[in-house]
Amino acid sequence: MFKPRTKKLELLSQIYPHRVKELEKIFNKTTSIIYIDFANVYHWQDKLKWHIDLKRLKQLLDSFSNIKTVRLY
């Protein structure tokens, strides 16, 4: 189900295998399309004090074979 698309994702999946398992439980069925509204993500960054790189987020989601399409707006 999870097949890392980049070397960095592969390394992170080895460091945090429990997180990959959690995500595999969430994406256990075929998901046609995931829509991500950046306006919401932007506010999450401020509230959580994180930096969210949309390119890397898309690479992560694209690494799950059950997710067919990821769209960012």
Side-chain angles (χ1 to χ4, degrees):
M1 180 196 274
F2 181 77
K3 185 176 180 184
R5 295 282 177 137
T6 66
K7 296 275 186 194
K8 188 166 190 167
L9 280 173
E10 185 174 345
L11 176 63
L12 289 171
S13 69
Q14 292 170 1
I15 295 171
Y16 303 106
H18 57 286
R19 297 296 182 204
V20 172
K21 294 292 180 197
E22 287 178 17
L23 289 170
E24 285 180 335
K25 287 180 184 177
I26 293 170
F27 301 121
N28 65 346
K29 296 180 182 173
T30 300
T31 303
S32 297
I33 301 174
I34 291 181
Y35 293 97
I36 299 174
D37 181 356
F38 183 71
N40 291 323
V41 174
Y42 180 76
H43 294 293
W44 295 344
Q45 290 184 124
D46 294 339
K47 185 174 183 177
L48 299 172
K49 299 190 185 326
W50 291 356
H51 171 74
I52 299 171
D53 186 333
L54 291 178
K55 178 182 173 184
R56 292 208 171 129
L57 177 58
K58 184 167 181 337
Q59 289 172 343
L60 172 67
L61 294 172
D62 284 341
S63 295
F64 289 90
S65 60
N66 292 1
I67 300 173
K68 301 304 175 197
T69 306
V70 177
R71 301 226 171 119
L72 306 170
Y73 293 97

